[in-house]
């Protein structure tokens, strides 16, 4: 079982633009980070839609879906994405939401459940590992949640989809001096016209 963080990121290191809100979940100017994903056949399948592009990007997205058995996200990411994901979210696995406001588990169509966890990053990871059925656990975001797991040394692999765009402002991923210096090894590189897909493994 591998703990991953699979993220679309701009060339200058942003996961979202400025001005993130429920009405603007990606932030201002961040459309290039996400539009390429929404056009993929594998993503559309997970949303209960037909059509979309069958290409190497779609294959990589499908591989991620197939390999992931549980997901962890922060409460802000959940609040921003809930309406967009609708009644049939694309995860189709147990999702554990870090929060100070626990509530009942929400059961959605397609196999997605949202469980609200108030016992910190380690507690959420323990639950996710138990629910993943031997498949990977993915730390989906947002930026602060990923940084917390990086700080604790709990992520095994970073999967970064580098989009050819410069946002100039917004939510940065690597913006935490407390995470310290870390060594990684490159385990995969795939370049397409839409993104450069980089896979790194942390050297323990």
């Amino acid at each position: 079982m591998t703990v991953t963080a699979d993220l679309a990121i701009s060339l200058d290191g942003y996961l979202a633009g400025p001005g993130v809100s429920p009405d603007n979940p990606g932030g201002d100017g961040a459309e290039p980070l996400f539009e390429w994903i929404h056009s993929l056949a594998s993503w559309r399948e997970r949303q209960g839609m037909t059509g979309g592009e069958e290409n190497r990007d779609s294959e990589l997205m499908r591989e991620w879906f197939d390999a992931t058995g549980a997901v962890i996200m922060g409460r802000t990411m959940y609040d921003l994405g809930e309406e967009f994901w609708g009644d049939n979210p694309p995860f189709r696995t147990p999702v554990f939401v870090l929060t100070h406001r626990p509530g009942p588990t929400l059961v959605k169509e397609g196999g997605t459940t949202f469980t609200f966890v108030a016992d910190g990053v380690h507690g959420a990871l323990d639950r996710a590992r138990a629910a993943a059925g031997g498949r990977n656990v993915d730390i989906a975001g947002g930026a602060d949640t990923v940084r917390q797991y990086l700080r604790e040394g709990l992520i095994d692999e970073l999967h970064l989809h580098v989009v050819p765009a410069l946002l100039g402002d917004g939510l940065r991923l690597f913006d935490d001096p407390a995470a310290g210096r870390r060594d990684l090894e490159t385990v995969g590189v795939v370049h397409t016209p839409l993104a450069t897909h980089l896979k790194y493994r942390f050297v323990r």
Side-chain angles (χ1 to χ4, degrees):
M1 177 186 296
T2 301
V3 179
T4 66
D6 190 287
L7 306 159
I9 188 169
S10 69
L11 187 59
D12 50 350
Y14 292 97
L15 299 181
V20 170
S21 70
D23 295 328
N24 188 22
D28 297 334
E31 291 83 2
L33 290 182
F34 310 108
E35 286 177 343
W36 68 276
I37 299 173
H38 300 158
S39 68
L40 303 180
S42 55
W43 173 266
R44 293 178 64 83
E45 288 169 10
R46 286 283 177 142
Q47 293 285 146
M49 298 183 288
T50 60
E53 299 178 26
E54 281 288 6
N55 52 26
R56 187 67 179 113
D57 305 278
S58 185
E59 291 173 0
L60 291 169
M61 182 65 66
R62 187 175 286 110
E63 289 171 8
W64 177 86
F65 282 131
D66 291 344
T68 301
V71 172
I72 296 172
M73 67 178 61
R75 181 65 191 237
T76 299
M77 180 176 176
Y78 170 79
D79 288 342
L80 293 174
E82 178 186 16
E83 182 175 348
F84 174 76
W85 297 322
D87 292 329
N88 189 10
F91 307 103
R92 301 193 182 180
T93 62
V95 178
F96 297 87
V97 182
L98 292 166
T99 183
H100 297 296
R101 295 174 284 146
T105 295
L106 300 180
V107 179
K108 298 288 188 174
E109 298 174 15
T112 300
T113 58
F114 292 101
T115 300
F116 301 91
V117 181
D119 50 355
V121 295
H122 289 273
L125 184 55
D126 288 343
R127 291 197 189 194
R129 281 176 167 149
R135 294 191 292 164
N136 294 345
V137 173
D138 188 72
I139 313 301
D144 182 63
T145 296
V146 176
R147 286 196 295 265
Q148 288 182 62
Y149 279 93
L150 287 172
R151 194 181 309 139
E152 295 294 319
L154 297 173
I155 294 176
D156 301 312
E157 292 184 356
L158 279 175
H159 303 173
L160 302 178
H161 310 283
V162 182
V163 177
L166 299 171
L167 297 191
D169 193 9
L171 297 176
R172 292 183 59 84
L173 175 58
F174 303 111
D175 195 19
D176 183 9
R181 184 185 180 280
R182 304 286 302 281
D183 292 326
L184 302 98
E185 59 180 348
T186 305
V187 293
V189 178
V190 177
H191 176 70
T192 76
L194 298 178
T196 299
H197 308 277
L198 305 173
K199 185 180 292 188
Y200 299 103
R201 181 179 297 124
F202 284 100
V203 178
R204 302 301 184 186

